[in-house]
Each structure stands twice: as C-alpha cells, then as structure tokens.
Amino acid sequence: MCGVVEMVKHLFSDTVESIEKPEARVTDVDLKGVGAHSVTYLAKVNVSNPYCIPIPLGEIRYLLKSSGREIASGTIYDTGSLKRKGDTLLYVEIDVANSVLVTLVKDIAVDWDIDYELKVTLIIDFPLICDISIPVTRNGQIKLPSLADVLKKKK
C-alpha cells in the first residue's frame, strides 16, 4: 500500500510541474510618496495568464534589499485575480522607514539613490490542484526624494 501512495505522489508532482504557469516580471519601481516616517515606493509587476479563465491570486510577498540588508518586506493578501488570456498589472506598495534610509548613508551619499534588489513572489491559487509560487527578482536603483519633493508634499 505504501508503494502505491508514493507512486501517486510522484505522478501528481510530475503533473503539477508540467503545467504551464503564468509568467511575471517587475516592469518599474518608482517613488510614490514621502511621509513623516517613511518613503513609499511603487513596484509594478506585469503577469501574463496563459489560460482562458481568470486565476485567483492568493497573495504577493515582497522583500526589498539594499547593500545586502533587508530594508522592507511584507505580504499583500486578497489581491484579486489574473485576467484570462492576457496581462494583469499589479501594484505593490513598499514602505521604507526613514530610519532605515539613514543606515544606508554610504550608498545614498554617492548618487542620491539606493541600489536595490527586489524579490516578489506571487502565490497563484490553482483550484483543486495546489498553490504555485512565481518568484520574480529585479535589481536597480531607486531615486530618493529631493528636498523639493518633501516640501511639495507638506503643502
């Protein structure tokens, strides 16, 4: 009996691995807002759904690193569904505490930006099958708000 269970597990895992999966990529990371305690960035993630039905998106997990250190992370729940046979643009808001930015002074002082690595994991909820994770990574630079940006927000 134990051998039959193992055979079914193996067959099921092979089937799930061979299923065509949605593809995702981070298209942009921009400054969204400046607050008293944090700076908010907006990551845009484009997801292509190859299926003719909408697919529920369970959650979005993100991790933002700079200089090898985590500067922000979080999970967004109840994010809706991916459009059928097409692209869905997802918006991921990332709050970075001002106190964290202070610890990155060496990187910031050179060119007034933060070199970053952004990891986004989409958890796709395939009904009756399982949840499938789609990891996406992007490296780049995030410009910091200037003094003029901060003063504009206070008005």
Side-chain angles (χ1 to χ4, degrees), residues 131-149:
D131 290 348
I132 294 178
S133 298
I134 301 174
V136 184
T137 302
R138 178 175 170 142
N139 295 309
Q141 296 176 330
I142 299 175
K143 286 292 182 192
L144 292 172
S146 65
L147 185 55
D149 293 331

Side-chain angles (χ1 to χ4, degrees), residues 2-29:
C2 186
V4 172
V5 172
E6 289 301 316
M7 190 171 71
V8 170
K9 281 184 183 178
H10 182 69
L11 177 64
F12 183 70
S13 68
D14 287 347
T15 303
V16 169
E17 287 179 18
S18 67
I19 292 174
E20 186 177 14
K21 297 175 187 150
E23 294 181 7
R25 64 185 175 90
V26 177
T27 60
D28 196 17
V29 179

